[in-house]
Amino acid sequence: MRYSIQTSTRFSRVSLALAVAMVFMLALLPAYASRGLLQDMFFILTMLTLAQFWNLLAGYGGLLSIGQQAFVGVGGYAMFALVILHGWDPLAAVAVAGCAALLVSIPMGFFSFRLHGAYFAIGTWVLAEVLRLLVAQFKALGGGTGTSLPRAATRNLWGADWVKEVFDVKSAAARDILAYWLALALAAAAIAGIYYLLRSKQGLALSAVRDNAEVARSVGVNAHRLKWQIFLASAFGTGITGALIYLQKARISPDAAFSVTDWTAYIIFIVVIGGIGTIEGPILGVLVFYLLQSLLADYGSWYLLSLGVAGITVMLFAPRGLWGLISDRTGVQCFPIRRLLVQHSNKTGENSVRNHH
Amino acid sequence: MRAPMLKVDRLCKSFNSLKVSNSVSFSVSQGEALGIIGPNGAGKSTLFNLITGNLRPDSGRIELMDMGDVTGMPPMQRCIAGVGRSFQIPQPFDELTVFENLLVAAAHGRGLSEHDACDKCGEILEQTELMTVANQRAGGLRLLQRKRLELARAMATGPKLLLLDEIAGGLTECESASLVATIRAIHKGGATLIWIEHVLHALNSVVERLMVLDFGRVIGIGAPFDMMNSEAVKTVYLGIEA
């Protein structure tokens, strides 16, 4: 063995350990946090998950979707349908809701993959609007005005009794704790899953396809299959997250669940401001977004204007986002995917190939 | 007679009314190096795109050794079947490093794991003199290095048939000579080559046969010396009045 591949650095190993410790600490948060903080954390974690999946599509796959709200909406509505019409436990329904979004994404992909670039973006948006209009026709789920989860269903979630006993809280707070844990698990799983994908052979191919799909195909990469895989995976993840969001809200309507502003525009803002095409970017981006929202949300349209100005400023002066700035200055990466070639010579032991970026 | 590596039979391709490939037939034996010359717009790169599957022919057949008829096969599968190519205008994966450019080709073109592909990529980087820039972003390379990367990435796919499209074009005399030495070594190692080139002395120092294209037709194929001296070639290619 004369050559080997080196991906992780000492910094990344430390940061990985810190990330795992962080997840465990966050899991213990319900023991001492207020209900308001848990709800805020729930918001941050679900937005983070949505952002990671949009970043997978657009940042790594080059698929600029503006139709992610379709999967949030389908996920949310599938969960409501299973609970209201079939009497399922909401937690079980959340898992199955992801599959519903996956199913819907198959015909969506079939249509939208015929389009490229900006046309793909518009195409996905149009399809999401079509779904919104279709869902509004279901009278059993409240039609255009929407509906609420039955009180009995939200009160008797699986595990709610145990949470009530352990934390000594009422059932509404118990539901928040369960939703928070699920959001944490989902965000951690999304980040771990996407990082695992990017470290794999398929992840390398994904970067090649993003740079030049035509050339990627002629070096043996199955670009078409790869695009389908990430499209389906992100539909599934976005669908589950959507269901979870609406479990916590306990009320759904077509306009809210299929909102392009809430589930795609904000998500794009988070990813772009944090740094597209990196795992660290959306994490940073969601914190900035949360901060701006808590500071400015009372100012109505000024809030949206300032989001726009912040977005444009970052695009002009730091096109690779805040994480891009930090990473360029310091050279650190918490989730490195760069594969460095290391040459082993027998005389001097380990002898790395010179590396200058 | 060695077994044919590639057999192209009456291949036709038109862009609207323009016939860029007009009943082109030829074959290349295993281990042979065939050069292709012809004026701009003669259909040389189109021929490559037809062989690699980036373009579909209107009619005709393409056969690969061990694979039979591959005329309808998409580019990805043709690469895996053993057709490697370099592009006329270098098209590295800009955001990847030089090594990663090779790694993706070796891992997917040969169906290897990254771990198993690593040694192969290291060897090719040494052979193509790219080891010093292995961990640099490919987007930042100079022209000679970009050309070398085209060659290296094509080799990383493990080709039985290597198609080189004007790989020496745009280089200085000195740069071109060092690249040609690399290509000659690769050919000596047993690779079957088809090489499009305008730099004739570079081409003729490696290839065993030369094919001349003009307006999508084959107007001559044979030993380089005979081709360069044939009246038909002088007329259309070198622009000399017969």
Side-chain angles (χ1 to χ4, degrees), chain B residues 16 98 160 242:
Chain B
N16 298 322
V98 171
K160 296 178 200 153

Side-chain angles (χ1 to χ4, degrees), chain A residues 2-3 5 200-201 205 207-208 211-212 214-215 217-222 338-339 341 343 353 356-357, chain B residues 54 76 79 87 91 93-97 99-100 104 107-109 112 114 119 122 126 131 135-136 153:
Chain A
R2 294 183 53 217
Y3 302 96
I5 303 174
S200 77
K201 178 174 151 178
S207 314
D211 276 1
N212 193 329
E214 186 70 22
V215 177
R217 271 190 283 272
S218 62
V219 297
V221 170
N222 195 337
R338 198 45 109 207
R339 292 145 174 90
L341 181 66
Q343 199 173 6
V353 173
H356 23 201
H357 284 292
Chain B
N54 293 77
M76 174 205 75
C79 169
F87 287 87
Q91 303 193 35
F93 301 122
D94 283 339
E95 295 304 319
L96 300 185
T97 65
F99 167 62
E100 286 172 328
V104 69
H108 290 271
L112 296 176
E114 284 187 29
D119 273 358
E126 272 179 12
M131 190 51 91
N135 290 331
Q136 280 184 31
R153 191 177 56 192

